[in-house]
Amino acid sequence: MLFLLDGFPLRQPFHVSGYHSWFSVVEPTLIEYAEIYTGGFPVRYGNRLSGVVDLRTVDVGPRQANPAYSDVFARMTVGDVEQLEITGNVLWARDELSISEADSGERAEIESRSRYFWLRADKQWRPNLTATTW
């Protein structure tokens, strides 16, 4: 498989490529144009057998975007499922983005936060009977 980004071949275009290759190293919002061949592709792509993904990135121009984001996940479990197991979970995310247009002096900002907290209780009454409460 040939994977090109602005004409440059990427050998491992995924995060954790040795384990299911879940996440692409290329942010989808950066892509302006994609040409994908699953077979029968032009000779300019060489001697690949399975396919070609040829991506071109966007031209950002004079805008200056400054994104900032963070997230936290935590889990704590006490007890055991035979007696009573209680699990507390926290998920927190924060995003900030400011964009400025150098030519016109315009500026835009956005900020968002998400917070989740949940508890889960598990109890195994018998080997084939388990109860869960959220």
Side-chain angles (χ1 to χ4, degrees):
M1 177 88 174
L2 178 60
F3 197 99
L4 299 171
L5 182 62
D6 287 336
F8 183 79
L10 301 177
R11 292 192 66 211
Q12 294 181 340
F14 300 100
H15 289 288
V16 195
S17 61
Y19 184 72
H20 298 297
S21 301
W22 285 338
F23 307 106
S24 172
V25 298
V26 180
E27 173 66 33
T29 59
L30 296 177
I31 304 304
E32 179 178 40
Y33 171 81
E35 196 168 11
I36 300 170
Y37 297 96
T38 59
F41 41 86
V43 72
R44 71 178 180 264
Y45 292 113
N47 59 354
R48 300 297 174 157
L49 295 175
S50 59
V52 174
V53 175
D54 189 359
L55 303 174
R56 305 288 176 195
T57 55
V58 296
D59 182 15
V60 181
R63 290 181 183 224
Q64 297 296 320
N66 297 313
Y69 53 92
S70 58
D71 50 69
V72 174
F73 175 76
R75 176 175 36 204
M76 183 174 151
T77 302
V78 294
D80 64 67
V81 75
E82 291 177 0
Q83 298 296 318
L84 179 63
E85 180 179 82
I86 297 178
T87 304
N89 298 273
V90 175
L91 176 62
W92 176 83
R94 179 189 62 84
D95 303 305
E96 293 179 5
L97 175 65
S98 65
I99 301 174
S100 60
E101 183 73 49
D103 296 339
S104 65
E106 294 181 18
R107 180 177 173 86
E109 293 184 12
I110 187 170
E111 181 180 325
S112 66
R113 286 183 167 75
S114 300
R115 293 177 203 98
Y116 301 92
F117 174 75
W118 66 97
L119 292 172
R120 176 180 168 162
D122 293 293
K123 169 76 171 142
Q124 183 173 10
W125 299 97
R126 287 183 260 168
N128 60 350
L129 180 61
T130 302
T132 299
T133 301
W134 295 83

